[in-house]
Amino acid sequence: MDILSAAKKRHTAKAYDSARRIPEDVMQKVYDLLRNSASSVNSQPWHFIVANTPEGRARIAKATQGGYVYNAAKVNDASHVIVLCARVDMDEAHMDALLEQEERDGRFRDAQARAGQDATRRGYVNQHRYGTKDVAQWLEKQVYLALGTALLGAATLEIDATPMEGFDQKILDAEFDLNEKGLTSLVLVSFGYSSPADFNAGLPKSRLTQEATFTFID
């Protein structure tokens, strides 16, 4: 499926066929898409928790109780569920790890290029930490880039997906000790194959017109 057809076909699944599983080789492509997503100054401020068993999904579903119970079935009945987590800060250990990985991957022609990349990244981090004082929000934006990549990728792979912000963040953070790791849960994504109860699958896609959405300038 070409990318534009996938974007037009993609929808947010509202109900899953619990009997159908996504092959692991297909899900590996989703994992690779997440890992290779764009991020500002290659910050990669994310961590992804994958649940591919009923027991794992049940742990995530703990956060869909009370006012979020409407999302419980989308977690429990899906084939796979991924928790997209964001770093709350860009600490020294993470920035050092990024620089070392970039060097192993051959991104620096010399020591000067390595130092330049480090200085540029630290400059952006300090701008958000001390200038606009929104470093956590800036890092969350990078995770949403990964979310968009995964959703479009899932559509090209002809699997269904559901992004969910409707869950109790405190419960999920505690379940996986995320705060102790410098992380916080941000959004859930279920992956699977929709069931006949997925009413959204049969509805026409609705978007504002190009004229309303774009301004073309000379």
Side-chain angles (χ1 to χ4, degrees), residues 20-195:
R20 296 188 67 189
R21 298 267 310 161
I22 300 173
E24 283 303 318
D25 64 317
V26 175
M27 281 306 301
Q28 184 60 54
K29 294 178 181 179
V30 175
Y31 309 149
D32 288 341
L33 284 166
L34 284 166
R35 194 171 62 85
N36 284 283
S37 175
S39 62
S40 179
V41 292
N42 200 27
S43 53
Q44 304 173 63
W46 46 52
H47 189 78
F48 308 112
I49 299 173
V50 180
N52 59 5
T53 65
E55 294 77 15
R57 293 192 296 274
R59 292 183 67 185
I60 295 174
K62 291 179 183 179
T64 59
Q65 56 187 271
Y68 304 110
V69 70
Y70 58 89
N71 277 331
K74 300 185 191 83
V75 172
N76 286 316
D77 293 343
S79 173
H80 292 65
V81 181
I82 301 180
V83 183
L84 279 67
C85 306
R87 290 185 171 273
V88 297
D89 196 9
M90 285 283 285
D91 58 26
E92 287 294 320
H94 185 62
M95 286 195 283
D96 288 345
L98 290 172
L99 201 64
E100 290 167 7
Q101 187 63 55
E102 288 166 336
E103 186 160 41
R104 284 194 294 270
D105 290 335
R107 289 189 57 83
F108 308 129
R109 64 182 180 276
D110 52 32
Q112 184 177 0
R114 185 182 192 276
Q117 170 69 354
D118 189 36
T120 297
R121 184 156 46 229
R122 289 176 183 274
Y124 275 93
V125 170
N126 287 335
Q127 173 186 326
H128 287 281
R129 182 181 288 150
Y130 303 116
T132 53
K133 297 180 175 63
D134 65 344
V135 67
Q137 291 77 17
W138 175 60
L139 298 178
E140 288 178 358
K141 292 175 183 177
Q142 314 315 313
V143 180
Y144 275 92
L145 292 178
L147 171 63
T149 299
L151 293 178
L152 183 55
T156 66
L157 295 168
E158 300 190 66
I159 58 178
D160 297 307
T162 309
M164 292 170 279
E165 293 180 316
F167 65 95
D168 193 314
Q169 183 185 58
K170 290 182 179 178
I171 290 177
L172 209 56
D173 285 3
E175 177 69 21
F176 296 104
D177 299 320
L178 295 179
N179 296 166
E180 290 77 6
K181 301 168 185 174
L183 299 166
T184 185
S185 54
L186 190 60
V187 60
L188 311 178
V189 189
S190 291
F191 296 91
Y193 299 100
S194 64
S195 74

